[in-house]
Amino acid sequence: HRQYMQEFETTEEKFVPWITRERYEEPTLEAYLDRLEKYSSGQRLPPGFVSHSTYWLVKHDRKEIVAISNIRHTLTESLLREGGNIGMGVRPSWRRQGVATFLLEQTIAKARSQHEISDILMTCDKSNIASARTIQKNGGVLENEVSDEEGNISQRFWIRLT
């Protein structure tokens, strides 16, 4: 996990998905994984948060985290504007190899089968063309674009599973 995080620090990118930042608040990896398990069942959630499940794509022969996805089981008003149901991040050294497309495909399958989500909202910064393409490759249809207080534009895509 530390190596995954170090790559984001080296490239001066924000940690994605957001849940990866939580690792530093726990003394051990086991405590972190226990926290994630509790979040998945709706326990110990910070105020305003929803139940969510985290999935790891690992290259076993190298014991290396390649990518992480996070499924938010329900949407709040805030998540409807920005964030959506699925957030994901691919380790910088593993990008442009089809990992994001594969990860999103697998995450959508989990959202459908384990969390009974029928319509998935995903958002990304308008400037993140690679994320928009990945979402579209997995059936995402652009609904609209929204601006925040600082003028940053997010694109909102729906993936219909019904």
Side-chain angles (χ1 to χ4, degrees), residues 24 30 35 50 64 115 119 162:
Y24 291 114
E30 291 76 20
R35 178 192 278 209
V50 298
E64 179 178 24
H115 306 293
D119 294 325
T162 54

Side-chain angles (χ1 to χ4, degrees), residues 16-130:
V16 287
W18 67 273
I19 193 66
T20 56
R21 292 186 302 265
E22 300 261 319
R23 168 63 179 96
Y24 291 114
E25 296 177 18
E26 295 293 350
T28 64
L29 180 60
E30 291 76 20
Y32 173 60
L33 295 175
D34 181 62
R35 178 192 278 209
L36 293 179
E37 185 65 31
K38 285 183 173 31
Y39 284 172
S40 182
S41 63
Q43 301 172 44
R44 288 183 49 195
L45 291 169
F49 280 59
V50 298
S51 299
H52 54 88
S53 300
T54 302
Y55 298 94
W56 311 76
L57 183 59
V58 177
K59 180 128 175 74
H60 286 283
D61 62 340
R62 293 169 58 179
K63 297 181 182 171
E64 179 178 24
I65 297 171
V66 174
I68 301 171
S69 66
N70 182 264
I71 301 172
R72 291 170 283 277
H73 304 172
T74 58
L75 296 174
T76 61
E77 285 298 317
S78 176
L79 288 171
L80 276 167
R81 279 190 311 280
E82 186 176 357
N85 291 102
I86 296 175
M88 50 187 264
V90 176
R91 190 176 182 150
S93 61
W94 281 89
R95 294 182 183 156
R96 295 185 175 92
Q97 299 178 51
V99 171
T101 300
F102 174 77
L103 177 65
L104 182 53
E105 177 184 300
Q106 298 303 308
T107 303
I108 289 168
K110 292 271 188 199
R112 176 188 286 151
S113 66
Q114 293 184 4
H115 306 293
E116 300 177 2
I117 299 171
S118 58
D119 294 325
I120 294 172
L121 174 65
M122 290 192 71
T123 68
C124 68
D125 293 341
K126 184 174 182 168
S127 62
N128 192 339
I129 296 167

Side-chain angles (χ1 to χ4, degrees), residues 88 100-102 104-105 108 120-126 128-145 155-160:
M88 50 187 264
T101 300
F102 174 77
L104 182 53
E105 177 184 300
I108 289 168
I120 294 172
L121 174 65
M122 290 192 71
T123 68
C124 68
D125 293 341
K126 184 174 182 168
N128 192 339
I129 296 167
S131 286
R133 285 185 181 151
T134 297
I135 295 166
Q136 290 170 321
K137 283 181 191 174
N138 278 278
V141 176
L142 180 65
E143 179 180 61
N144 61 6
E145 296 178 346
Q155 294 183 313
R156 298 175 69 248
F157 296 86
W158 284 98
I159 302 170
R160 305 286 181 196

